[in-house]
Amino acid sequence: MINEFVWKELVKELETKHVTLVAVSKTKPAEDIQSLYNLGQRDFGENYVQELVDKQATLPKDIRWHFIGHLQSNKVKSIAPFVHLIHAVDSYKLLQEINKQALKNDRVIDVLLQMHIADETTKFGMNADEIAELISNFEVEKESWGNVRIRGLMGMATFTDDELQIREEFARLHSMFKTIKQRNPQFMEQFDICSMGMSSDYKIAVEEGSTLVRIGSMLFGARN
Ligand SMILES: *Cc1c(COP(=O)(O)O)cnc(C)c1O
């Protein structure tokens, strides 16, 4: 079951702020996705490769599929033919594999680099130094990266009700996003996506400069 009213209100609220809404449909049935699609939603986010591959095969072909979970290198080939944006790139090795599989599919795949901003050690992502290093390597070897485009950063805040902490973490991510953009103007022309905010914290994320929110339970109901 989807919450049509909540979706409509959310779309209105985000549109005025030019923030993209990705509806996170992981674990939810294809019928729910189809219902939101019928209302006009086109961007959907999934966390599990096999689930995404199965849903993509049966649902409308103009859906923009976002892979938002942790991605293993050996699974890239399954989603490379169709994925719209890979949110959570956390290593050079993974980026190389995406470039390779994109080339095989004669595509350019857009990606975000995941920055670790939370307290919890369980959340994936790179620290600021690792991201800076990856980007400078990427720039040096630019010619070999014809099939991947780094479009921005993604991050997840700590799971806490301490609003100040969440705000501080999002601010840190957004400041890194701006720094990269300013330092690499020619290369980073298309560095324009700052993916942060979920059901519980998207308002804070938008206040701190998010350009894309990933919202699941608020639209589809709680997951088991
Ligand atoms: C599940 C998930 C979301 C959505 O979470 P909700 O709390 O259901 O809105 C957003 N981002 C990532 C990376 C997720 O895994």
Side-chain angles (χ1 to χ4, degrees), residues 10 19 21 25 46 55 77 110 121 124 128 133 145 150 156 158 168 191 200 210 214 216 221:
L10 193 56
V19 174
L21 171 62
S25 46
E46 290 283 340
K55 284 173 171 172
K77 58 174 169 307
D110 284 348
T121 50
F124 293 98
E133 190 188 335
W145 290 106
I150 301 177
M156 291 170 86
T158 303
E168 186 274 328
F191 197 84
S200 58
S210 171
R214 310 174 308 270

Side-chain angles (χ1 to χ4, degrees), residues 22-26 46-48 68-70 87-88 114 154-156 159 195 197-201 213-223:
V22 172
V24 176
S25 46
K26 64 185 178 207
E46 290 283 340
N47 279 49
Y48 309 102
I68 64 173
H70 179 65
H87 284 235
Q114 182 176 13
M154 176 269 204
M156 291 170 86
F159 186 71
S195 165
M198 336 201 315
S199 294
S200 58
D201 56 20
V213 293
R214 310 174 308 270
I215 297 196
S217 45
M218 209 179 135
L219 297 170
F220 294 104
R223 288 177 298 274

Side-chain angles (χ1 to χ4, degrees), residues 22-23 25 33 36-37 41-45 63-66:
V22 172
S25 46
I33 299 174
L36 263 198
Y37 177 92
Q41 179 68 31
R42 288 295 178 272
D43 291 276
F44 289 90
I63 288 180
R64 293 184 288 269
W65 292 106
H66 296 246

Side-chain angles (χ1 to χ4, degrees), residues 39-116:
L39 295 175
Q41 179 68 31
R42 288 295 178 272
D43 291 276
F44 289 90
E46 290 283 340
N47 279 49
Y48 309 102
V49 168
Q50 195 52 51
E51 185 180 348
L52 171 55
V53 168
D54 293 345
K55 284 173 171 172
Q56 192 272 340
T58 59
L59 285 156
K61 292 302 169 234
D62 61 341
I63 288 180
R64 293 184 288 269
W65 292 106
H66 296 246
F67 193 80
I68 64 173
H70 179 65
L71 182 57
Q72 288 171 308
S73 295
N74 62 355
K75 303 230 168 120
V76 174
K77 58 174 169 307
S78 317
I79 61 171
F82 63 86
V83 70
H84 175 69
L85 180 66
I86 297 176
H87 284 235
V89 172
D90 59 1
S91 73
Y92 208 59
K93 182 175 155 250
L94 176 59
L95 194 60
Q96 283 172 323
E97 182 62 17
I98 295 170
N99 191 56
K100 183 175 143 194
Q101 296 299 333
L103 177 65
K104 279 192 187 164
N105 285 278
D106 196 21
R107 302 185 61 205
V108 175
I109 295 181
D110 284 348
V111 306
L112 307 177
L113 304 177
Q114 182 176 13
M115 180 164 162
H116 185 97

Side-chain angles (χ1 to χ4, degrees), residues 14-15 17-22 43 66 85 87 112 151-155 170 173-174 177-178 181 190-197 202-214:
L14 295 173
E15 251 171 20
K17 293 165 179 152
H18 308 286
V19 174
T20 303
L21 171 62
V22 172
D43 291 276
H66 296 246
L85 180 66
H87 284 235
L112 307 177
R151 294 290 306 271
L153 299 183
M154 176 269 204
F170 284 149
L173 178 61
H174 189 255
F177 173 70
K178 274 196 312 194
K181 215 173 155 61
Q190 278 151 323
F191 197 84
D192 56 1
I193 302 174
C194 186
S195 165
M196 57 187 198
Y202 82 92
K203 279 183 192 288
I204 306 172
V206 169
E207 283 165 11
E208 295 304 324
S210 171
T211 70
L212 181 157
V213 293
R214 310 174 308 270

Side-chain angles (χ1 to χ4, degrees), residues 129-146:
D129 289 344
E130 290 166 332
I131 288 180
E133 190 188 335
L134 187 151
I135 287 177
S136 68
N137 287 339
F138 189 89
E139 273 205 292
V140 170
E141 306 166 348
K142 215 188 274 178
E143 290 74 41
S144 50
W145 290 106

